[in-house]
Amino acid sequence: MDEAQTVPVRGRRVDTTAVDPSAVDHRYYDFRSQLRVVDTGDWLASFEQITRDWLEEKGYGVEGELPAVRKEDAFDLRLDGISLGEASAIRLTLAERGDQGEWRTEVLALADPDAGSWISITVRNSEGRFANRPRVVPRLLERIEVLDGRSELVDDTWAVQIQHLQEFLHVLGDRGRRAPVFVTAAPPGADLEKVRRWMSERSQELAGLAHSYVLDANANAALMQGLGPFMGVRPGTIRSFAPRPVAHDPSDALRHRVIGAARLKDSTLGSTQALVGRIARFEAATIVEPLVLREARRAFDRKAVDDRYRRSPARLDSTLRPGQERPPVWTPIPQGPSSLVRPERPLPVTPTSSPAGGPSPEVVEVPTPAPVIESPPPSPRTPAHRAPTPGSPATPSPEPDPHPGEIAPVPDGVRESVDTLLAFFGTDSVDDVITEVRMMRALLDEAAEDTQRLLVQRDKHADVALELELTVDDLERELSNEINRRRTAEQNARTLTIYREPTAEPDAQPVHPLDLEQPEQFSDIPEALDSLERFVVFTGKRSVIEELDEYDLNHLGAKRCWEGITALFDYARARADGVHDGNLHTYLMSTPEGYAGFPTSQYAPVESETTMGRRDLAAQRRLPVPAEVDPGGYVTMWAHLKLKQIGRISPRLHFHDDVAGTGKIYVGYIGRHLGISGS
């Protein structure tokens, strides 16, 4: 990279783990915390001082009254305040640029005696990097009294025994709680303190975002009895309880994420900490922001537009909400010569001559008034043109200026600036410059009005999008429950079939997917596949499939994947039983009664010709198999099942059909869509 383009990293720990921006769900990587303030003192003044001290430590110090603004090569910041009726708010916006992209931080504090007081902190990276918690957060927690519901957010893990279970249930069921509660359970007879330390090590990224608890075996049994088996916490797993869990509701259980024991066992401590932290960030991001915070942010956005364009008082007042203070506006000079300004450089000029007693040139409003330069004393040949002083006799009107538009005499040193101004506008007349400035002012006002209208439209679209997201979540949970009901019906039908037609000894029957507990998420599928090796063998990487859990929020993708595996299993079983003698496509087209099927539209035996013609893309699909299938240990698996679209990713299951040889299906890959031609 060119040295001139390199900007030093400031204010962030070095992080080189950027991910593909096209697939980034910022809810997992952004830091976003909302803290309810219960402090009864002048906490806004403390907030402002803490924020200024933090900026000073980062080398971004600002002084003076609000708004305080700094713009440098490596950062931009704005610390501003606003009044909204009885409420007051302060907001810091900070953009830091470096070789890790741009870090954008917003710290917003709102003191509202009616709707409640809040502090909101958000950090986001333009390249999708994991945002560390800013150091200002613990300082705010230390000096300002905040609560999550009725509980504090502490940087520690609590151990809960049966005698303290009621206190834990109060936290779990607190209707004012907004932060998730991460819980693990100790197995019977385990050292509770040892399990607490295990959980504490994995909860390092939860500070300020979530609660952390460990339940002993008796407390966990009582919890499962009170909330139902769907809400249980198995030993060795970690579950995050979202706010307001509904007892004995399998649909609501989908909201409360689970990190399986197998994944925790296979992961390093660092990767587990990051995983727990990402889930905490996601849970924090999905909680609906209080309306008062959204309105305060929007008021700051409107004020920033007004401050940028410096609109006139008459037009500005029409856009203000009741109780909103008007920001500083353009201040006209009531009398005397006008001051014109060139962008980024004020240049003083004097007006053209006008008849004494007649109308003086119209005053031009400017962003930053330049020093007024008085005209030199009139020469005998050029009389002064000024309005009569009250009480003094009026002077006769002079002859009209034979050269209108000429610049009046100016002191030495100013002529160069005047000439530069005229050259900038491409004219030799100050009247033309004044006309041009008026046109520019009109365009600025029009741009400001358009921007304000766009802000209103943006806010309306954001509210509609939020409602749609909530509706989609509800519909996906209903669909997931419907899949569960259908699976239960299939299990019952299979059980009846086995009892009605006992063609073989029970021990001789292979384990069927319907006989197993359905995996709750993608990370549970590899372990479940270990029981199906009679017909289906998984040869892929567990870590790749586990990554899908962060996108499959309602587990619909995992359930679709398990349906595909069930169909592959029954296809191989039907071939072994002599019920079907065709290939997978003909099996899916006419699935025998009593065997599981899968939509043929979601099955692809090959890739496109352009994709199969590229060696690099073929190499991605060259996946492991046992030596009895191929001596080299790898085959190219073009055939795949299309799983449910999850956000911006389209998971795929790639497999090799060796039913004609070993009698099995080999699943070599379950993960995000592999590369294709044109990608």
Side-chain angles (χ1 to χ4, degrees):
M1 181 183 292
D2 192 317
E3 225 174 74
Q5 297 177 337
T6 303
V7 181
V9 179
R10 305 184 68 175
R12 292 278 157 217
R13 281 182 269 166
V14 174
D15 176 14
T16 59
T17 58
V19 297
D20 180 8
S22 64
V24 170
D25 188 334
H26 285 278
R27 293 174 294 183
Y28 285 107
Y29 294 88
D30 300 347
F31 181 91
R32 183 174 180 266
S33 179
Q34 297 166 8
L35 308 170
R36 184 172 63 89
V37 179
V38 295
D39 201 311
T40 56
D42 186 12
W43 66 271
L44 265 186
S46 299
F47 171 86
E48 181 179 350
Q49 188 58 51
I50 294 170
T51 303
R52 287 179 181 268
D53 292 343
W54 176 59
L55 291 173
E56 186 70 32
E57 291 180 7
K58 292 170 67 68
Y60 306 155
V62 290
E63 298 179 355
E65 297 182 353
L66 303 179
V69 181
R70 279 192 65 181
K71 293 183 178 293
E72 306 287 347
D73 290 340
F75 69 92
D76 296 334
L77 73 84
R78 179 184 179 90
L79 183 63
D80 202 357
I82 198 172
S83 294
L84 302 167
E86 297 297 324
S88 300
I90 297 176
R91 181 173 78 162
L92 165 70
T93 53
L94 172 63
E96 303 170 86
R97 294 174 289 274
D99 58 4
Q100 298 175 15
E102 183 177 75
W103 296 92
R104 299 192 66 86
T105 303
E106 181 200 68
V107 186
L108 171 63
L110 171 68
D112 191 329
D114 298 325
S117 299
W118 294 86
I119 295 176
S120 169
I121 306 102
T122 305
V123 184
R124 182 174 184 174
N125 180 260
S126 62
E127 296 181 358
R129 300 177 189 272
F130 187 84
N132 299 309
R133 182 185 68 175
R135 291 191 299 272
V136 72
V137 175
R139 300 179 190 183
L140 292 171
L141 295 175
E142 182 180 353
R143 297 194 34 196
I144 299 175
E145 187 177 359
V146 300
L147 291 177
D148 176 37
R150 297 188 297 268
S151 305
E152 290 184 273
L153 278 176
V154 296
D155 188 9
D156 200 0
T157 299
W158 299 91
V160 178
Q161 297 177 296
I162 188 64
Q163 60 267 31
H164 304 299
L165 179 63
Q166 198 62 36
E167 300 174 18
F168 170 74
L169 292 178
H170 283 319
V171 174
L172 204 62
D174 184 357
R175 297 186 65 81
R177 176 173 67 87
R178 299 174 60 83
V181 176
F182 282 74
V183 185
T184 191
D191 184 348
L192 188 60
E193 177 57 26
K194 183 178 179 180
V195 179
R196 192 198 70 81
R197 290 196 302 268
W198 179 89
M199 181 64 175
S200 180
E201 290 175 345
R202 286 152 181 79
S203 304
Q204 295 300 307
E205 293 292 341
L206 298 184
L209 290 172
H211 307 268
S212 178
Y213 287 90
V214 171
L215 304 180
D216 71 0
N218 293 330
N220 186 42
L223 176 70
M224 293 183 66
Q225 183 177 3
L227 295 182
F230 300 106
M231 298 286 190
V233 182
R234 295 185 180 87
T237 68
I238 296 177
R239 185 158 207 160
S240 64
F241 283 94
R244 301 185 182 185
V246 181
H248 303 281
D249 186 349
S251 173
D252 185 70
L254 297 173
R255 294 192 301 123
H256 314 293
R257 308 281 290 277
V258 177
I259 306 177
R263 187 173 187 184
L264 290 171
K265 183 178 179 181
D266 295 341
S267 301
T268 64
L269 176 60
S271 60
T272 302
Q273 290 174 343
L275 173 61
V276 172
R278 290 197 298 272
I279 293 176
R281 280 160 169 72
F282 180 89
E283 297 292 349
T286 53
I287 297 172
V288 179
E289 185 178 45
L291 180 60
V292 289
L293 273 178
R294 275 186 282 165
E295 289 300 320
R297 179 177 295 105
R298 291 168 180 177
F300 273 111
D301 291 343
R302 289 191 290 270
K303 182 177 185 295
V305 171
D306 290 335
D307 287 351
R308 178 178 180 181
Y309 291 102
R310 309 286 291 183
R311 304 170 68 194
S312 61
R315 294 194 178 187
L316 182 61
D317 287 338
S318 64
T319 65
L320 296 178
R321 302 189 316 164
Q324 181 177 345
E325 290 186 352
R326 187 177 68 218
V329 296
W330 303 70
T331 305
I333 303 174
Q335 291 184 353
S338 304
S339 296
L340 301 180
V341 64
R342 176 185 179 183
E344 301 180 0
R345 181 181 179 186
L347 299 174
V349 300
T350 55
T352 57
S353 302
S354 61
S360 60
E362 184 175 338
V363 175
V364 179
E365 301 172 7
V366 295
T368 52
V372 176
I373 306 300
E374 295 184 358
S375 300
S379 64
R381 192 165 53 86
T382 309
H385 306 310
R386 65 183 71 186
T389 305
S392 64
T395 58
S397 300
E399 293 297 325
D401 192 335
H403 304 289
E406 288 186 357
I407 304 296
V410 294
D412 294 339
V414 179
R415 169 65 66 180
E416 181 181 354
S417 298
V418 174
D419 292 341
T420 303
L421 175 67
L422 296 176
F424 177 81
F425 283 96
T427 181
D428 58 358
S429 170
V430 174
D431 286 338
D432 293 342
V433 174
I434 293 173
T435 301
E436 188 76 17
V437 170
R438 289 174 185 155
M439 294 176 59
M440 294 171 64
R441 283 296 313 280
L443 291 174
L444 284 174
D445 282 344
E446 184 179 351
E449 291 174 354
D450 290 342
T451 304
Q452 293 288 9
R453 283 194 294 269
L454 290 174
L455 284 176
V456 172
Q457 293 179 12
R458 181 204 65 178
D459 296 340
K460 290 181 179 178
H461 292 324
D463 292 338
V464 171
L466 178 61
E467 292 297 327
L468 290 176
E469 287 178 4
L470 297 176
T471 301
V472 168
D473 289 343
D474 292 339
L475 292 175
E476 287 188 339
R477 278 195 291 272
E478 290 182 18
L479 177 59
S480 184
N481 284 331
E482 183 60 33
I483 293 175
N484 287 339
R485 287 190 288 269
R486 187 184 68 187
R487 175 181 169 80
T488 300
E490 290 174 348
Q491 286 177 320
N492 294 337
R494 172 175 166 76
T495 302
L496 291 174
T497 301
I498 291 176
Y499 278 113
R500 187 173 61 248
E501 300 177 1
T503 56
E505 294 296 327
D507 293 341
Q509 293 288 338
V511 176
H512 193 275
L514 291 176
D515 299 332
L516 302 174
E517 182 177 357
Q518 183 176 3
E520 294 184 4
Q521 52 195 4
F522 274 106
S523 56
D524 296 331
I525 289 178
E527 185 176 8
L529 277 169
D530 291 342
S531 302
L532 304 180
E533 59 182 6
R534 172 63 181 84
F535 291 119
V536 178
V537 178
F538 179 63
T539 64
K541 294 182 179 179
R542 294 174 180 257
S543 59
V544 175
I545 187 174
E546 288 169 352
E547 293 175 357
L548 297 176
D549 282 346
E550 297 185 19
Y551 303 93
D552 190 28
L553 305 182
N554 288 312
H555 314 311
L556 289 174
K559 291 178 180 179
R560 173 60 63 85
C561 180
W562 193 245
E563 287 180 350
I565 291 172
T566 303
L568 294 177
F569 182 94
D570 270 3
Y571 159 64
R573 182 169 69 94
R575 288 284 298 269
D577 294 343
V579 176
H580 181 76
D581 59 0
N583 57 25
L584 178 60
H585 179 73
T586 57
Y587 170 84
L588 296 178
M589 289 290 291
S590 56
T591 304
E593 183 180 356
Y595 291 79
F598 194 76
T600 54
S601 61
Q602 304 303 307
Y603 162 62
V606 294
E607 298 277 12
S608 66
E609 293 183 4
T610 53
T611 297
M612 291 191 296
R614 284 178 48 176
R615 292 184 178 181
D616 58 332
L617 300 180
Q620 294 181 17
R621 293 158 174 80
R622 190 163 176 77
L623 301 166
V625 292
E628 58 265 28
V629 177
D630 187 277
Y634 290 88
V635 297
T636 303
M637 300 186 185
W638 297 115
H640 60 275
L641 301 180
K642 304 172 185 178
L643 309 182
K644 182 183 180 298
Q645 177 81 20
I646 306 175
R648 296 181 179 179
I649 66 172
S650 303
R652 294 290 188 265
L653 182 154
H654 284 261
F655 64 91
H656 173 64
D657 181 356
D658 197 51
V659 170
T662 60
K664 299 180 181 181
I665 300 287
Y666 295 91
V667 177
Y669 178 87
I670 303 176
R672 293 175 53 182
H673 200 306
L674 294 173
I676 58 175
S677 178
S679 63

